[in-house]
Amino acid sequence: MLPTNRRRILRALATAPLAAFAWPGALRAQQDQAAKEQASTSDGGPFVPTPWVILDEMLKLAEIQRTDVVFDLGSGDGRLVIAAAKRFGARGVGVERDGNLVNFSRRQATSEGVGERVRFVQADLFETDLREATVITTYLLPRLMPRLVPKLRTELPVGARIVSHDYPLAPWPPDKTLLFDVEEKLMINGTVETKLFYYVVPARIAGNWTLRVEQPLPIDALALSVEQAPDRLDGTARMAGFDAPLREFSVRADQVRFGLLHETRLLEFRGKVAGDTMTGEVRARGEAARWTARRAG
Ligand SMILES: C[S@@+](CC[C@H](N)C(=O)[O-])C[C@H]1O[C@@H](n2cnc3c(N)ncnc32)[C@H](O)[C@@H]1O
């Protein structure tokens, strides 16, 4: 004999419409499908080591310093992280989903004498916190790259450098692209052509700002509105009831530049972004003044 409360639940289930039974199964099927899609979209491909001659160019392009923390996403046998530590004294983190490669990398780091400066983590790179990294290296399949872009642009510190072997971080336009012919790549790709894509993480300046210019330039406070996407930077300044576009608007690491036609004068702004403040100098027809913009709201 079942206890009374249990029987009541059984009767409720027995009289429930069919759809209510179908629902938990359908949900599970949907969740399984989503997990499968998630697994396949985070698959950056099998282990193929970057040839040493390309590795040299990647580290050179990133201009690695002793103060850097180099993350290789999908670190394979650990060669990029170990070389960055050995040659430049940098610290490094290899993120690799394959446990055997992680163990191999750890042994290799110890035998190369950099075991104290590097660590290897067995993890999915999409589940890894990248906030500590100042340099990122990757050699992953192109289908993964668009998904990586928002993660890199949100988590990495402003000014962090990224070097990607062969595949760009579309749709983000690279700051530099290098092309090489490398014999070893013939076996891997069927072509000797090799590309390196270099990116610098820009300051995050989307939103509304209030801009003030100091004496001697007689300009009232302006409301700036900025839209920022990986492949686009647009801004306007509200002046006398209409929106004037910011011209030749660019942000590279923490350096911002734009022009603004104010009455009949072209104002040329250059400055530096630090969180919710931008400061710099504005020039117009031989005159110069300091300016400051603060994030509104
Ligand atoms: C082409 S190899 C590059 C290895 C190394 N970075 C190099 O350049 O020599 C790609 C590596 O990424 C790893 N990988 C692929 N998808 C991954 C993911 N989602 N998370 C972590 N590692 C991943 C693979 O196991 C493989 O070792």
Side-chain angles (χ1 to χ4, degrees):
M1 183 81 177
L2 289 167
T4 333
N5 59 346
R6 180 97 190 269
R7 254 186 316 191
R8 213 174 295 130
I9 291 165
L10 284 176
R11 198 174 319 114
L13 285 174
T15 55
L18 195 60
F21 285 104
W23 168 240
L27 183 62
R28 201 167 312 115
Q30 258 179 21
Q31 284 170 339
D32 288 350
Q33 182 61 24
K36 260 190 223 153
E37 278 166 17
Q38 171 75 20
S40 67
T41 51
S42 72
D43 176 8
F47 172 51
V48 178
T50 291
W52 289 102
V53 56
I54 302 171
L55 178 148
D56 295 345
E57 297 299 331
M58 290 176 78
L59 297 184
K60 220 191 286 172
L61 185 56
E63 295 185 336
I64 295 174
Q65 313 286 313
R66 200 180 163 72
T67 47
D68 277 318
V69 182
V70 180
F71 273 54
D72 189 25
L73 303 183
S75 51
D77 63 3
R79 59 180 60 196
L80 269 140
V81 167
I82 293 170
K86 225 180 143 182
R87 298 184 198 173
F88 302 98
R91 285 185 297 128
V93 179
V95 183
E96 171 57 56
R97 63 183 177 181
D98 180 328
N100 291 328
L101 287 168
V102 169
N103 290 336
F104 178 87
S105 304
R106 287 177 183 153
R107 286 197 300 273
Q108 202 63 12
T110 307
S111 75
E112 297 277 353
V114 292
E116 298 294 306
R117 300 201 66 74
V118 302
R119 66 178 199 275
F120 290 93
V121 187
Q122 184 180 4
D124 185 323
L125 62 95
F126 284 101
E127 307 295 324
T128 303
D129 185 338
L130 304 179
R131 283 175 298 179
E132 192 196 347
T134 60
V135 174
I136 294 276
T137 54
T138 62
Y139 182 25
L140 297 163
L141 288 179
R143 64 171 176 232
L144 212 69
M145 302 311 251
R147 220 186 124 204
L148 203 48
V149 172
K151 181 170 173 67
L152 296 173
R153 290 178 63 106
T154 322
E155 286 182 27
L156 291 176
V158 172
R161 292 96 72 203
I162 302 163
V163 177
S164 178
H165 177 181
D166 266 354
Y167 303 112
L169 285 162
W172 185 0
D175 292 277
K176 274 186 217 167
T177 304
L178 299 186
L179 296 175
F180 305 93
D181 284 348
V182 177
E183 275 313 306
E184 289 100 311
K185 289 294 282 291
L186 200 54
M187 294 285 285
I188 303 169
N189 283 4
T191 166
V192 292
E193 195 176 285
T194 296
K195 291 184 186 149
L196 295 184
F197 299 95
Y198 174 83
Y199 304 83
V200 179
V201 175
R204 295 167 264 271
I205 58 169
N208 297 318
W209 299 78
T210 306
L211 184 152
R212 290 193 169 80
V213 177
E214 292 174 15
Q215 294 300 329
L217 289 175
I219 297 164
D220 290 339
L222 298 170
L224 302 186
S225 169
V226 177
E227 285 181 18
Q228 187 178 28
D231 54 349
R232 199 168 53 82
L233 184 64
D234 291 318
T236 54
R238 180 136 278 256
M239 288 190 303
F242 72 95
D243 289 331
L246 304 187
R247 299 161 175 230
E248 294 181 34
F249 190 13
S250 72
V251 58
R252 189 158 195 272
D254 61 356
Q255 300 298 309
V256 64
R257 291 177 75 156
F258 55 91
L260 179 64
L261 195 59
H262 182 267
E263 294 166 0
T264 57
R265 295 203 288 191
L266 181 67
L267 308 176
E268 291 178 86
F269 291 83
R270 282 178 185 216
K272 189 172 165 146
V273 187
D276 292 336
T277 307
M278 302 190 228
T279 48
E281 191 181 67
V282 49
R283 291 180 171 272
R285 287 198 198 134
E287 282 188 301
R290 301 291 307 162
W291 64 275
T292 302
R294 289 189 205 291
R295 213 183 280 271

